[in-house]
Amino acid sequence: MAQKEYESALVQVENEIQEATLKNVGMELHDNVGQLLSVAKMQLRSGLSLLPEDKKETFAEALETVDLSLTEVRQLSKTVNGEVLANMDLQDAIQVEIDRINRFSHTNSTLVVTGEPIFIEEREKIIIFRIVQECCSNVIKHAEAEHLIIDISYKEDHLYIKIKDDGIGYNTQNNKLGSGLINMQRRAEMIQAQLVAHSKQGHGTEITLTYQSPLHETAQSSNS
């Protein structure tokens, strides 16, 4: 029991350190990198107006690239800053991540939401999002998938999230991949959620997360 409590406390500390780091990164992206790209955008636009028509195409393409980069930096700053995420609905935050994936990867990603949203505490919402974000990152980096579907289902006092891809899958005995899954499972345990992965080489991967709203536990305690 003491070992398990120690591991749980360690994961919580690691999570807090990561969130503090990501918050700083998000602020740097938004305030510094975003500002530099905004200046570059203005400079290119100003220079573009001074060029003859036959010289404008290259600068116009550069302006478009900078504009896309600025949009990406702003979106990325949202998904790494926990304070920003705390003010967003879970499905909205996940949709921002999916939109980013669709812009910059070959994987066609889709979000499906059913049911009415349940109460999720801010800290727990961020942890759930980080688990989903890590799953998506793993799919993009390793799965070679054409399609990724995230299915969010609200059922009264429960939240079910299924993340499924049609990629190459993996051997569940692979210790390297297994350690990443263990880290996600430990995060899930921090909020008393369950995370289960099913994968087979050549047949993709499916990860499910089951979360129970703390309001359900409060109601049960009151009734008893």
Side-chain angles (χ1 to χ4, degrees):
M1 180 64 70
Q3 179 65 23
K4 188 171 183 180
E5 290 178 354
Y6 169 77
E7 291 178 355
S8 178
L10 184 61
V11 172
Q12 183 169 345
V13 169
E14 290 174 347
N15 187 71
E16 290 173 355
I17 292 173
Q18 182 189 55
E19 286 303 323
T21 302
L22 289 173
K23 177 184 175 182
N24 290 333
V25 170
M27 292 174 65
E28 288 291 326
L29 286 172
H30 185 274
D31 296 340
N32 295 337
V33 179
Q35 183 64 30
L36 288 171
L37 287 172
S38 294
V39 171
K41 181 180 175 180
M42 288 187 293
Q43 290 173 333
L44 282 170
R45 182 173 289 155
S46 177
L48 190 62
S49 64
L50 302 175
L51 291 173
E53 289 298 323
D54 61 339
K55 302 292 184 181
K56 286 186 176 182
E57 184 176 354
T58 300
F59 272 77
E61 291 176 355
L63 178 60
E64 183 178 354
T65 299
V66 171
D67 194 35
L68 288 172
S69 299
L70 181 58
T71 299
E72 171 64 7
V73 164
R74 286 172 174 168
Q75 293 298 323
L76 188 59
S77 70
K78 291 180 181 179
T79 62
V80 298
N81 191 327
E83 289 186 357
V84 175
L85 290 173
N87 294 319
M88 300 175 68
D89 291 335
L90 178 63
Q91 59 264 34
D92 292 340
I94 293 176
Q95 185 63 61
V96 169
E97 185 71 5
I98 283 181
D99 291 342
R100 192 173 69 83
I101 291 171
N102 285 334
R103 285 196 304 272
F104 294 99
S105 81
H106 299 294
T107 303
N108 182 12
S109 303
T110 306
L111 174 64
V112 178
V113 181
T114 57
E116 293 297 322
I118 63 172
F119 171 78
I120 305 175
E121 292 181 351
E122 289 182 0
R123 168 183 167 273
E124 299 188 352
K125 178 172 63 177
I126 293 171
I127 291 174
I128 292 171
F129 176 79
R130 293 291 180 228
I131 293 172
V132 173
Q133 190 176 44
E134 185 168 352
C135 287
C136 292
S137 177
N138 289 337
V139 171
I140 301 306
K141 289 179 180 178
H142 307 295
E144 301 178 21
E146 293 184 6
H147 300 92
L148 168 66
I149 298 176
I150 301 178
D151 191 331
I152 298 177
S153 179
Y154 295 103
K155 304 285 187 181
E156 295 183 358
D157 47 27
H158 283 74
L159 165 67
Y160 302 94
I161 299 179
K162 180 169 67 176
I163 306 168
K164 186 175 182 179
D165 69 73
D166 60 357
I168 60 175
Y170 65 90
N171 185 343
T172 55
Q173 302 304 313
N174 185 313
N175 292 330
K176 183 178 180 180
L177 291 171
S179 64
L181 180 59
I182 289 171
N183 289 335
M184 287 188 282
Q185 287 174 331
R186 286 176 175 171
R187 279 190 174 186
E189 288 173 1
M190 290 174 60
I191 55 174
Q192 287 75 54
Q194 292 182 329
L195 187 140
V196 179
H198 296 283
S199 185
K200 185 177 180 181
Q201 287 183 314
H203 293 82
T205 301
E206 180 176 303
I207 292 179
T208 58
L209 177 73
T210 304
Y211 166 83
Q212 181 176 289
S213 171
L215 289 183
H216 175 71
E217 296 176 0
T218 302
Q220 281 189 328
S221 300
S222 300
N223 292 334
S224 60

PDB file of all heavy atoms in Angstrom, residues 149-181:
ATOM      1  N   ILE A 149     -10.310   8.137 -35.020  1.00  0.00           N
ATOM      2  CA  ILE A 149     -11.633   8.544 -34.540  1.00  0.00           C
ATOM      3  C   ILE A 149     -11.608   8.632 -33.021  1.00  0.00           C
ATOM      4  O   ILE A 149     -11.196   7.686 -32.339  1.00  0.00           O
ATOM      5  CB  ILE A 149     -12.726   7.549 -34.984  1.00  0.00           C
ATOM      6  CG1 ILE A 149     -12.819   7.490 -36.505  1.00  0.00           C
ATOM      7  CG2 ILE A 149     -14.082   7.954 -34.394  1.00  0.00           C
ATOM      8  CD1 ILE A 149     -13.818   6.464 -37.011  1.00  0.00           C
ATOM      9  N   ILE A 150     -12.030   9.764 -32.509  1.00  0.00           N
ATOM     10  CA  ILE A 150     -12.187   9.942 -31.062  1.00  0.00           C
ATOM     11  C   ILE A 150     -13.678  10.038 -30.778  1.00  0.00           C
ATOM     12  O   ILE A 150     -14.353  10.940 -31.268  1.00  0.00           O
ATOM     13  CB  ILE A 150     -11.459  11.191 -30.559  1.00  0.00           C
ATOM     14  CG1 ILE A 150      -9.968  11.107 -30.871  1.00  0.00           C
ATOM     15  CG2 ILE A 150     -11.681  11.369 -29.059  1.00  0.00           C
ATOM     16  CD1 ILE A 150      -9.182  12.333 -30.450  1.00  0.00           C
ATOM     17  N   ASP A 151     -14.162   9.106 -30.004  1.00  0.00           N
ATOM     18  CA  ASP A 151     -15.594   9.026 -29.688  1.00  0.00           C
ATOM     19  C   ASP A 151     -15.791   9.369 -28.220  1.00  0.00           C
ATOM     20  O   ASP A 151     -15.353   8.632 -27.335  1.00  0.00           O
ATOM     21  CB  ASP A 151     -16.096   7.607 -29.992  1.00  0.00           C
ATOM     22  CG  ASP A 151     -17.613   7.504 -29.943  1.00  0.00           C
ATOM     23  OD1 ASP A 151     -18.227   8.276 -29.182  1.00  0.00           O
ATOM     24  OD2 ASP A 151     -18.176   6.663 -30.649  1.00  0.00           O
ATOM     25  N   ILE A 152     -16.453  10.500 -27.955  1.00  0.00           N
ATOM     26  CA  ILE A 152     -16.764  10.915 -26.594  1.00  0.00           C
ATOM     27  C   ILE A 152     -18.238  10.630 -26.338  1.00  0.00           C
ATOM     28  O   ILE A 152     -19.102  11.116 -27.063  1.00  0.00           O
ATOM     29  CB  ILE A 152     -16.488  12.414 -26.376  1.00  0.00           C
ATOM     30  CG1 ILE A 152     -15.012  12.722 -26.596  1.00  0.00           C
ATOM     31  CG2 ILE A 152     -16.919  12.840 -24.978  1.00  0.00           C
ATOM     32  CD1 ILE A 152     -14.688  14.202 -26.462  1.00  0.00           C
ATOM     33  N   SER A 153     -18.499   9.856 -25.304  1.00  0.00           N
ATOM     34  CA  SER A 153     -19.880   9.496 -24.986  1.00  0.00           C
ATOM     35  C   SER A 153     -20.171   9.836 -23.527  1.00  0.00           C
ATOM     36  O   SER A 153     -19.498   9.339 -22.618  1.00  0.00           O
ATOM     37  CB  SER A 153     -20.107   7.998 -25.242  1.00  0.00           C
ATOM     38  OG  SER A 153     -21.430   7.630 -24.907  1.00  0.00           O
ATOM     39  N   TYR A 154     -21.169  10.704 -23.315  1.00  0.00           N
ATOM     40  CA  TYR A 154     -21.600  11.059 -21.964  1.00  0.00           C
ATOM     41  C   TYR A 154     -22.816  10.217 -21.589  1.00  0.00           C
ATOM     42  O   TYR A 154     -23.801  10.178 -22.322  1.00  0.00           O
ATOM     43  CB  TYR A 154     -21.982  12.540 -21.899  1.00  0.00           C
ATOM     44  CG  TYR A 154     -20.841  13.493 -22.143  1.00  0.00           C
ATOM     45  CD1 TYR A 154     -20.713  14.150 -23.373  1.00  0.00           C
ATOM     46  CD2 TYR A 154     -19.908  13.769 -21.151  1.00  0.00           C
ATOM     47  CE1 TYR A 154     -19.676  15.045 -23.594  1.00  0.00           C
ATOM     48  CE2 TYR A 154     -18.871  14.657 -21.364  1.00  0.00           C
ATOM     49  CZ  TYR A 154     -18.761  15.303 -22.589  1.00  0.00           C
ATOM     50  OH  TYR A 154     -17.742  16.186 -22.807  1.00  0.00           O
ATOM     51  N   LYS A 155     -22.736   9.539 -20.446  1.00  0.00           N
ATOM     52  CA  LYS A 155     -23.828   8.700 -19.954  1.00  0.00           C
ATOM     53  C   LYS A 155     -24.128   9.080 -18.509  1.00  0.00           C
ATOM     54  O   LYS A 155     -23.471   8.615 -17.589  1.00  0.00           O
ATOM     55  CB  LYS A 155     -23.451   7.221 -20.029  1.00  0.00           C
ATOM     56  CG  LYS A 155     -23.043   6.736 -21.415  1.00  0.00           C
ATOM     57  CD  LYS A 155     -24.252   6.578 -22.323  1.00  0.00           C
ATOM     58  CE  LYS A 155     -23.818   5.919 -23.628  1.00  0.00           C
ATOM     59  NZ  LYS A 155     -24.946   5.750 -24.571  1.00  0.00           N
ATOM     60  N   GLU A 156     -25.085   9.943 -18.303  1.00  0.00           N
ATOM     61  CA  GLU A 156     -25.492  10.389 -16.974  1.00  0.00           C
ATOM     62  C   GLU A 156     -24.294  10.892 -16.171  1.00  0.00           C
ATOM     63  O   GLU A 156     -23.916  12.034 -16.301  1.00  0.00           O
ATOM     64  CB  GLU A 156     -26.227   9.261 -16.242  1.00  0.00           C
ATOM     65  CG  GLU A 156     -27.546   8.881 -16.918  1.00  0.00           C
ATOM     66  CD  GLU A 156     -28.305   7.822 -16.148  1.00  0.00           C
ATOM     67  OE1 GLU A 156     -27.799   7.342 -15.110  1.00  0.00           O
ATOM     68  OE2 GLU A 156     -29.422   7.475 -16.584  1.00  0.00           O
ATOM     69  N   ASP A 157     -23.689  10.025 -15.363  1.00  0.00           N
ATOM     70  CA  ASP A 157     -22.582  10.480 -14.515  1.00  0.00           C
ATOM     71  C   ASP A 157     -21.243   9.902 -14.951  1.00  0.00           C
ATOM     72  O   ASP A 157     -20.266   9.950 -14.217  1.00  0.00           O
ATOM     73  CB  ASP A 157     -22.845  10.105 -13.043  1.00  0.00           C
ATOM     74  CG  ASP A 157     -23.289   8.650 -12.917  1.00  0.00           C
ATOM     75  OD1 ASP A 157     -22.912   7.850 -13.785  1.00  0.00           O
ATOM     76  OD2 ASP A 157     -24.034   8.339 -11.972  1.00  0.00           O
ATOM     77  N   HIS A 158     -21.190   9.318 -16.150  1.00  0.00           N
ATOM     78  CA  HIS A 158     -19.955   8.731 -16.658  1.00  0.00           C
ATOM     79  C   HIS A 158     -19.544   9.361 -17.988  1.00  0.00           C
ATOM     80  O   HIS A 158     -20.386   9.830 -18.751  1.00  0.00           O
ATOM     81  CB  HIS A 158     -20.093   7.216 -16.854  1.00  0.00           C
ATOM     82  CG  HIS A 158     -20.017   6.434 -15.578  1.00  0.00           C
ATOM     83  ND1 HIS A 158     -21.044   6.409 -14.654  1.00  0.00           N
ATOM     84  CD2 HIS A 158     -19.029   5.642 -15.069  1.00  0.00           C
ATOM     85  CE1 HIS A 158     -20.693   5.637 -13.631  1.00  0.00           C
ATOM     86  NE2 HIS A 158     -19.480   5.158 -13.862  1.00  0.00           N
ATOM     87  N   LEU A 159     -18.252   9.324 -18.213  1.00  0.00           N
ATOM     88  CA  LEU A 159     -17.691   9.756 -19.490  1.00  0.00           C
ATOM     89  C   LEU A 159     -16.892   8.593 -20.070  1.00  0.00           C
ATOM     90  O   LEU A 159     -16.058   7.989 -19.377  1.00  0.00           O
ATOM     91  CB  LEU A 159     -16.760  10.958 -19.281  1.00  0.00           C
ATOM     92  CG  LEU A 159     -15.807  11.326 -20.441  1.00  0.00           C
ATOM     93  CD1 LEU A 159     -16.614  11.822 -21.641  1.00  0.00           C
ATOM     94  CD2 LEU A 159     -14.805  12.384 -20.004  1.00  0.00           C
ATOM     95  N   TYR A 160     -17.169   8.279 -21.331  1.00  0.00           N
ATOM     96  CA  TYR A 160     -16.432   7.235 -22.028  1.00  0.00           C
ATOM     97  C   TYR A 160     -15.751   7.858 -23.248  1.00  0.00           C
ATOM     98  O   TYR A 160     -16.411   8.524 -24.052  1.00  0.00           O
ATOM     99  CB  TYR A 160     -17.361   6.108 -22.488  1.00  0.00           C
ATOM    100  CG  TYR A 160     -18.143   5.455 -21.367  1.00  0.00           C
ATOM    101  CD1 TYR A 160     -19.421   5.888 -21.048  1.00  0.00           C
ATOM    102  CD2 TYR A 160     -17.602   4.405 -20.628  1.00  0.00           C
ATOM    103  CE1 TYR A 160     -20.143   5.303 -20.020  1.00  0.00           C
ATOM    104  CE2 TYR A 160     -18.311   3.814 -19.601  1.00  0.00           C
ATOM    105  CZ  TYR A 160     -19.584   4.269 -19.303  1.00  0.00           C
ATOM    106  OH  TYR A 160     -20.292   3.685 -18.276  1.00  0.00           O
ATOM    107  N   ILE A 161     -14.473   7.641 -23.359  1.00  0.00           N
ATOM    108  CA  ILE A 161     -13.725   8.124 -24.522  1.00  0.00           C
ATOM    109  C   ILE A 161     -13.058   6.934 -25.197  1.00  0.00           C
ATOM    110  O   ILE A 161     -12.322   6.177 -24.550  1.00  0.00           O
ATOM    111  CB  ILE A 161     -12.664   9.165 -24.136  1.00  0.00           C
ATOM    112  CG1 ILE A 161     -13.328  10.388 -23.482  1.00  0.00           C
ATOM    113  CG2 ILE A 161     -11.870   9.600 -25.373  1.00  0.00           C
ATOM    114  CD1 ILE A 161     -12.344  11.461 -23.054  1.00  0.00           C
ATOM    115  N   LYS A 162     -13.325   6.774 -26.484  1.00  0.00           N
ATOM    116  CA  LYS A 162     -12.685   5.713 -27.268  1.00  0.00           C
ATOM    117  C   LYS A 162     -11.850   6.360 -28.359  1.00  0.00           C
ATOM    118  O   LYS A 162     -12.343   7.186 -29.127  1.00  0.00           O
ATOM    119  CB  LYS A 162     -13.739   4.788 -27.890  1.00  0.00           C
ATOM    120  CG  LYS A 162     -13.140   3.659 -28.715  1.00  0.00           C
ATOM    121  CD  LYS A 162     -14.183   2.616 -29.085  1.00  0.00           C
ATOM    122  CE  LYS A 162     -15.223   3.178 -30.035  1.00  0.00           C
ATOM    123  NZ  LYS A 162     -16.185   2.144 -30.475  1.00  0.00           N
ATOM    124  N   ILE A 163     -10.582   5.992 -28.417  1.00  0.00           N
ATOM    125  CA  ILE A 163      -9.650   6.515 -29.416  1.00  0.00           C
ATOM    126  C   ILE A 163      -9.216   5.339 -30.287  1.00  0.00           C
ATOM    127  O   ILE A 163      -8.547   4.425 -29.805  1.00  0.00           O
ATOM    128  CB  ILE A 163      -8.435   7.184 -28.746  1.00  0.00           C
ATOM    129  CG1 ILE A 163      -8.897   8.259 -27.754  1.00  0.00           C
ATOM    130  CG2 ILE A 163      -7.498   7.786 -29.793  1.00  0.00           C
ATOM    131  CD1 ILE A 163      -7.812   8.774 -26.852  1.00  0.00           C
ATOM    132  N   LYS A 164      -9.600   5.363 -31.542  1.00  0.00           N
ATOM    133  CA  LYS A 164      -9.378   4.216 -32.416  1.00  0.00           C
ATOM    134  C   LYS A 164      -8.700   4.647 -33.704  1.00  0.00           C
ATOM    135  O   LYS A 164      -9.087   5.643 -34.316  1.00  0.00           O
ATOM    136  CB  LYS A 164     -10.714   3.539 -32.733  1.00  0.00           C
ATOM    137  CG  LYS A 164     -10.587   2.244 -33.521  1.00  0.00           C
ATOM    138  CD  LYS A 164     -11.946   1.575 -33.679  1.00  0.00           C
ATOM    139  CE  LYS A 164     -11.826   0.256 -34.421  1.00  0.00           C
ATOM    140  NZ  LYS A 164     -13.138  -0.427 -34.564  1.00  0.00           N
ATOM    141  N   ASP A 165      -7.682   3.884 -34.119  1.00  0.00           N
ATOM    142  CA  ASP A 165      -7.013   4.161 -35.388  1.00  0.00           C
ATOM    143  C   ASP A 165      -6.926   2.886 -36.211  1.00  0.00           C
ATOM    144  O   ASP A 165      -7.105   1.781 -35.690  1.00  0.00           O
ATOM    145  CB  ASP A 165      -5.615   4.749 -35.159  1.00  0.00           C
ATOM    146  CG  ASP A 165      -4.638   3.730 -34.569  1.00  0.00           C
ATOM    147  OD1 ASP A 165      -4.216   2.822 -35.306  1.00  0.00           O
ATOM    148  OD2 ASP A 165      -4.295   3.847 -33.373  1.00  0.00           O
ATOM    149  N   ASP A 166      -6.677   3.057 -37.511  1.00  0.00           N
ATOM    150  CA  ASP A 166      -6.566   1.908 -38.414  1.00  0.00           C
ATOM    151  C   ASP A 166      -5.111   1.699 -38.845  1.00  0.00           C
ATOM    152  O   ASP A 166      -4.836   1.282 -39.959  1.00  0.00           O
ATOM    153  CB  ASP A 166      -7.464   2.085 -39.640  1.00  0.00           C
ATOM    154  CG  ASP A 166      -7.119   3.333 -40.445  1.00  0.00           C
ATOM    155  OD1 ASP A 166      -6.212   4.087 -40.022  1.00  0.00           O
ATOM    156  OD2 ASP A 166      -7.745   3.557 -41.490  1.00  0.00           O
ATOM    157  N   GLY A 167      -4.202   1.983 -37.922  1.00  0.00           N
ATOM    158  CA  GLY A 167      -2.774   1.895 -38.237  1.00  0.00           C
ATOM    159  C   GLY A 167      -2.209   0.499 -38.122  1.00  0.00           C
ATOM    160  O   GLY A 167      -2.934  -0.506 -38.133  1.00  0.00           O
ATOM    161  N   ILE A 168      -0.900   0.434 -37.984  1.00  0.00           N
ATOM    162  CA  ILE A 168      -0.192  -0.845 -38.017  1.00  0.00           C
ATOM    163  C   ILE A 168      -0.322  -1.628 -36.722  1.00  0.00           C
ATOM    164  O   ILE A 168       0.030  -2.806 -36.667  1.00  0.00           O
ATOM    165  CB  ILE A 168       1.307  -0.626 -38.329  1.00  0.00           C
ATOM    166  CG1 ILE A 168       1.959   0.254 -37.248  1.00  0.00           C
ATOM    167  CG2 ILE A 168       1.476  -0.007 -39.711  1.00  0.00           C
ATOM    168  CD1 ILE A 168       3.448   0.424 -37.425  1.00  0.00           C
ATOM    169  N   GLY A 169      -0.845  -0.985 -35.669  1.00  0.00           N
ATOM    170  CA  GLY A 169      -0.951  -1.675 -34.395  1.00  0.00           C
ATOM    171  C   GLY A 169       0.415  -1.933 -33.782  1.00  0.00           C
ATOM    172  O   GLY A 169       1.439  -1.495 -34.299  1.00  0.00           O
ATOM    173  N   TYR A 170       0.437  -2.655 -32.675  1.00  0.00           N
ATOM    174  CA  TYR A 170       1.716  -2.964 -32.051  1.00  0.00           C
ATOM    175  C   TYR A 170       1.583  -4.218 -31.198  1.00  0.00           C
ATOM    176  O   TYR A 170       0.481  -4.642 -30.824  1.00  0.00           O
ATOM    177  CB  TYR A 170       2.224  -1.792 -31.207  1.00  0.00           C
ATOM    178  CG  TYR A 170       1.375  -1.458 -29.995  1.00  0.00           C
ATOM    179  CD1 TYR A 170       1.620  -2.052 -28.758  1.00  0.00           C
ATOM    180  CD2 TYR A 170       0.334  -0.538 -30.082  1.00  0.00           C
ATOM    181  CE1 TYR A 170       0.857  -1.737 -27.647  1.00  0.00           C
ATOM    182  CE2 TYR A 170      -0.444  -0.222 -28.981  1.00  0.00           C
ATOM    183  CZ  TYR A 170      -0.167  -0.820 -27.765  1.00  0.00           C
ATOM    184  OH  TYR A 170      -0.935  -0.521 -26.671  1.00  0.00           O
ATOM    185  N   ASN A 171       2.706  -4.766 -30.881  1.00  0.00           N
ATOM    186  CA  ASN A 171       2.770  -5.934 -30.018  1.00  0.00           C
ATOM    187  C   ASN A 171       2.640  -5.483 -28.571  1.00  0.00           C
ATOM    188  O   ASN A 171       3.459  -4.708 -28.081  1.00  0.00           O
ATOM    189  CB  ASN A 171       4.105  -6.659 -30.227  1.00  0.00           C
ATOM    190  CG  ASN A 171       4.197  -7.956 -29.445  1.00  0.00           C
ATOM    191  OD1 ASN A 171       3.430  -8.190 -28.525  1.00  0.00           O
ATOM    192  ND2 ASN A 171       5.149  -8.790 -29.825  1.00  0.00           N
ATOM    193  N   THR A 172       1.628  -5.942 -27.883  1.00  0.00           N
ATOM    194  CA  THR A 172       1.392  -5.496 -26.511  1.00  0.00           C
ATOM    195  C   THR A 172       2.505  -5.923 -25.552  1.00  0.00           C
ATOM    196  O   THR A 172       2.565  -5.440 -24.425  1.00  0.00           O
ATOM    197  CB  THR A 172       0.053  -6.038 -25.992  1.00  0.00           C
ATOM    198  OG1 THR A 172       0.036  -7.467 -26.134  1.00  0.00           O
ATOM    199  CG2 THR A 172      -1.116  -5.436 -26.767  1.00  0.00           C
ATOM    200  N   GLN A 173       3.385  -6.816 -26.009  1.00  0.00           N
ATOM    201  CA  GLN A 173       4.507  -7.254 -25.177  1.00  0.00           C
ATOM    202  C   GLN A 173       5.723  -6.347 -25.323  1.00  0.00           C
ATOM    203  O   GLN A 173       6.727  -6.548 -24.647  1.00  0.00           O
ATOM    204  CB  GLN A 173       4.907  -8.689 -25.552  1.00  0.00           C
ATOM    205  CG  GLN A 173       3.777  -9.698 -25.411  1.00  0.00           C
ATOM    206  CD  GLN A 173       3.174  -9.711 -24.019  1.00  0.00           C
ATOM    207  OE1 GLN A 173       3.905  -9.744 -23.037  1.00  0.00           O
ATOM    208  NE2 GLN A 173       1.853  -9.675 -23.939  1.00  0.00           N
ATOM    209  N   ASN A 174       5.630  -5.350 -26.223  1.00  0.00           N
ATOM    210  CA  ASN A 174       6.745  -4.427 -26.432  1.00  0.00           C
ATOM    211  C   ASN A 174       6.889  -3.535 -25.205  1.00  0.00           C
ATOM    212  O   ASN A 174       6.014  -2.727 -24.900  1.00  0.00           O
ATOM    213  CB  ASN A 174       6.480  -3.572 -27.684  1.00  0.00           C
ATOM    214  CG  ASN A 174       7.661  -2.682 -28.030  1.00  0.00           C
ATOM    215  OD1 ASN A 174       8.230  -2.014 -27.174  1.00  0.00           O
ATOM    216  ND2 ASN A 174       8.022  -2.663 -29.308  1.00  0.00           N
ATOM    217  N   ASN A 175       7.978  -3.669 -24.477  1.00  0.00           N
ATOM    218  CA  ASN A 175       8.147  -2.959 -23.215  1.00  0.00           C
ATOM    219  C   ASN A 175       8.190  -1.452 -23.381  1.00  0.00           C
ATOM    220  O   ASN A 175       7.719  -0.697 -22.540  1.00  0.00           O
ATOM    221  CB  ASN A 175       9.424  -3.430 -22.511  1.00  0.00           C
ATOM    222  CG  ASN A 175       9.315  -4.859 -22.030  1.00  0.00           C
ATOM    223  OD1 ASN A 175       8.235  -5.319 -21.704  1.00  0.00           O
ATOM    224  ND2 ASN A 175      10.436  -5.564 -21.997  1.00  0.00           N
ATOM    225  N   LYS A 176       8.774  -0.981 -24.492  1.00  0.00           N
ATOM    226  CA  LYS A 176       8.886   0.461 -24.717  1.00  0.00           C
ATOM    227  C   LYS A 176       7.512   1.081 -24.870  1.00  0.00           C
ATOM    228  O   LYS A 176       7.192   2.089 -24.252  1.00  0.00           O
ATOM    229  CB  LYS A 176       9.748   0.734 -25.951  1.00  0.00           C
ATOM    230  CG  LYS A 176       9.977   2.216 -26.220  1.00  0.00           C
ATOM    231  CD  LYS A 176      10.889   2.412 -27.422  1.00  0.00           C
ATOM    232  CE  LYS A 176      11.114   3.907 -27.674  1.00  0.00           C
ATOM    233  NZ  LYS A 176      11.997   4.128 -28.846  1.00  0.00           N
ATOM    234  N   LEU A 177       6.677   0.483 -25.714  1.00  0.00           N
ATOM    235  CA  LEU A 177       5.324   0.993 -25.888  1.00  0.00           C
ATOM    236  C   LEU A 177       4.518   0.791 -24.619  1.00  0.00           C
ATOM    237  O   LEU A 177       3.695   1.617 -24.239  1.00  0.00           O
ATOM    238  CB  LEU A 177       4.652   0.284 -27.080  1.00  0.00           C
ATOM    239  CG  LEU A 177       5.211   0.630 -28.454  1.00  0.00           C
ATOM    240  CD1 LEU A 177       4.623  -0.290 -29.515  1.00  0.00           C
ATOM    241  CD2 LEU A 177       4.915   2.079 -28.808  1.00  0.00           C
ATOM    242  N   GLY A 178       4.770  -0.338 -23.927  1.00  0.00           N
ATOM    243  CA  GLY A 178       4.030  -0.624 -22.708  1.00  0.00           C
ATOM    244  C   GLY A 178       4.273   0.400 -21.627  1.00  0.00           C
ATOM    245  O   GLY A 178       3.368   0.752 -20.874  1.00  0.00           O
ATOM    246  N   SER A 179       5.494   0.920 -21.532  1.00  0.00           N
ATOM    247  CA  SER A 179       5.801   1.920 -20.511  1.00  0.00           C
ATOM    248  C   SER A 179       5.023   3.202 -20.740  1.00  0.00           C
ATOM    249  O   SER A 179       4.583   3.855 -19.793  1.00  0.00           O
ATOM    250  CB  SER A 179       7.302   2.201 -20.489  1.00  0.00           C
ATOM    251  OG  SER A 179       7.727   2.781 -21.715  1.00  0.00           O
ATOM    252  N   GLY A 180       4.832   3.576 -22.013  1.00  0.00           N
ATOM    253  CA  GLY A 180       4.025   4.762 -22.313  1.00  0.00           C
ATOM    254  C   GLY A 180       2.584   4.568 -21.891  1.00  0.00           C
ATOM    255  O   GLY A 180       1.950   5.481 -21.346  1.00  0.00           O
ATOM    256  N   LEU A 181       2.069   3.368 -22.141  1.00  0.00           N
ATOM    257  CA  LEU A 181       0.699   3.061 -21.735  1.00  0.00           C
ATOM    258  C   LEU A 181       0.571   3.065 -20.219  1.00  0.00           C
ATOM    259  O   LEU A 181      -0.431   3.552 -19.672  1.00  0.00           O
ATOM    260  CB  LEU A 181       0.286   1.702 -22.302  1.00  0.00           C
ATOM    261  CG  LEU A 181      -1.125   1.220 -21.986  1.00  0.00           C
ATOM    262  CD1 LEU A 181      -2.160   2.204 -22.512  1.00  0.00           C
ATOM    263  CD2 LEU A 181      -1.355  -0.162 -22.570  1.00  0.00           C
TER     264      LEU A 181
END
